[in-house]
Amino acid sequence: MSTVSQLNQADNLPFYEPQGHEVELFMHAYAHKLPVLIKGPTGCGKTRFISYMAEKLGLPLYTVACHDDLSASDLVGRHLIGDGETVWSDGPLTRAVRTGGICYLDEVVEARKDTTVVIHPLTDDRRILPIDRTGETLQAPDNFMLVVSYNPGYQNLLKGMKPSTRQRFVSMSFDYLPAAAEVEVLLNETAVDKAMAEQLVILGNGLRQLKDQDLEEGASTRLLVYTATLISTGFDPVKACRAGMIEPLSDDPDTIAGLMELVQAAFGRAD
């Protein structure tokens, strides 16, 4: 077990295996009230990292999974009608600004464009959140932090972050962990033995080599954890790989069949 893993357990923090200097960078950004942008492929540890840092800093975490229909009102809040009266209800961004904490906008480029107008005043030296519908202008407290993330591999002309927005953030790039570190994740997150963890990581890295050829996205660390969890509970390893790793990667029967040949070869089976 790595030194960082031992410290995580000693401090009762969520397990997190650092990729570089991201923990130190995040701490400096928080101390100096800088917003953070995290880029990286699906399932490489972005969300776990934010959960880890929120616990480490002792801050509440407001996570928003952004999607096509997410509007500025969903972030800021809206008036609701109940019991014959209209009541204002804060959105997650407003709650974080009022009380402090980390507001994490996951896959921010998926949200509607009007959300950009809302976050811009929070990403410069003003650190304010104007709420037009209530006439308020909230000043973010010292312990408020805005963090956004997205997967650059899914960007296109219609869904990309404008340079003018990107340059408002301190940015860091994530990628899949080196093999030894990813094995450490499987050992900490599941009950598989080291030999099985190593085999799954080798298989996962092999599947990642097929990205942009047969697959849109490589096998994420999250999928490796799911697969290892199934195996650790006694489920057949080949069937676990199909359910936890292969089926989530593709809907095409021929592609799935081809990927399963890799799995069967890895486990020395032809079933």
Side-chain angles (χ1 to χ4, degrees), residues 109-254:
V109 296
E110 296 294 331
R112 291 184 182 180
K113 297 302 181 183
D114 65 342
T115 57
T116 303
V117 177
V118 172
I119 66 175
H120 271 195
L122 287 166
T123 57
D124 55 33
D125 58 352
R126 293 173 294 171
R127 284 172 54 90
I128 59 173
L129 177 62
I131 306 178
D132 294 337
R133 294 186 181 181
T134 65
E136 296 176 273
T137 298
L138 302 182
Q139 180 69 54
D142 290 346
N143 63 343
F144 167 79
M145 187 176 191
L146 179 64
V147 181
V148 303
S149 73
Y150 69 91
N151 181 351
Y154 288 153
Q155 281 199 93
N156 55 47
L157 293 176
L158 297 178
K159 287 189 176 179
M161 183 173 282
K162 293 181 178 180
S164 59
T165 300
R166 280 204 309 270
Q167 292 189 34
R168 290 174 171 270
F169 293 86
V170 171
S171 300
M172 58 180 83
S173 292
F174 278 38
D175 204 345
Y176 298 118
L177 290 166
E182 197 162 38
V183 167
E184 188 78 16
V185 170
L186 297 188
L187 294 177
N188 278 272
E189 293 289 309
T190 74
V192 294
D193 58 37
K194 187 172 183 181
M196 179 58 72
E198 290 174 341
Q199 192 168 8
L200 290 175
V201 169
I202 291 172
L203 179 58
N205 281 322
L207 294 173
R208 289 166 189 161
Q209 300 300 316
L210 300 176
K211 185 180 181 298
D212 297 328
Q213 299 177 32
D214 297 322
L215 300 174
E216 292 183 3
E217 192 71 39
S220 68
T221 302
R222 182 184 296 116
L223 291 185
L224 296 187
V225 170
Y226 288 170
T227 303
T229 299
L230 290 173
I231 294 172
S232 69
T233 61
F235 200 64
D236 177 78
V238 171
K239 294 178 181 177
C241 286
R242 177 167 190 139
M245 199 183 305
I246 303 303
E247 290 281 356
L249 291 178
S250 177
D251 294 324
D252 180 68
D254 292 335

